[in-house]
Amino acid sequence: MDVYGVAAGTSFDEFPRVCVVCLLEHGEGCNGQLVEKANTMGTSGTHINVPVDIYFVNGALQDESGLGTTVQ
């Protein structure tokens, strides 16, 4: 779906969910966590419900989970 051709007032519910995973070698942006989920906020500071999930993954995650083996 082309977001530039969407009519005003169209709901984000019509868009597919997107998951963005950022692998960070030194854990920048992870706030001391192994995995940190980012929240989307508008310029007014209010939460925006968009169909995108963004995760920051600390490079220190070295376990046998699916994500841990991907980082390795």
Side-chain angles (χ1 to χ4, degrees):
M1 185 177 282
D2 180 3
V3 295
Y4 296 106
V6 175
T10 300
S11 168
F12 281 117
D13 294 337
E14 299 173 33
F15 289 88
R17 292 218 51 93
V18 175
C19 182
V20 177
V21 176
C22 302
L23 302 176
L24 305 167
E25 182 178 3
H26 302 290
E28 305 87 342
C30 291
N31 298 319
Q33 304 296 314
L34 290 176
V35 178
E36 179 76 7
K37 182 177 184 215
N39 294 312
T40 51
M41 285 198 180
T43 56
S44 65
T46 57
H47 176 73
I48 300 173
N49 186 23
V50 294
V52 176
D53 293 324
I54 302 171
Y55 295 92
F56 298 109
V57 178
N58 192 323
L61 181 63
Q62 301 288 320
D63 62 16
E64 296 304 315
S65 68
L67 188 55
T69 56
T70 300
V71 171
Q72 294 175 26

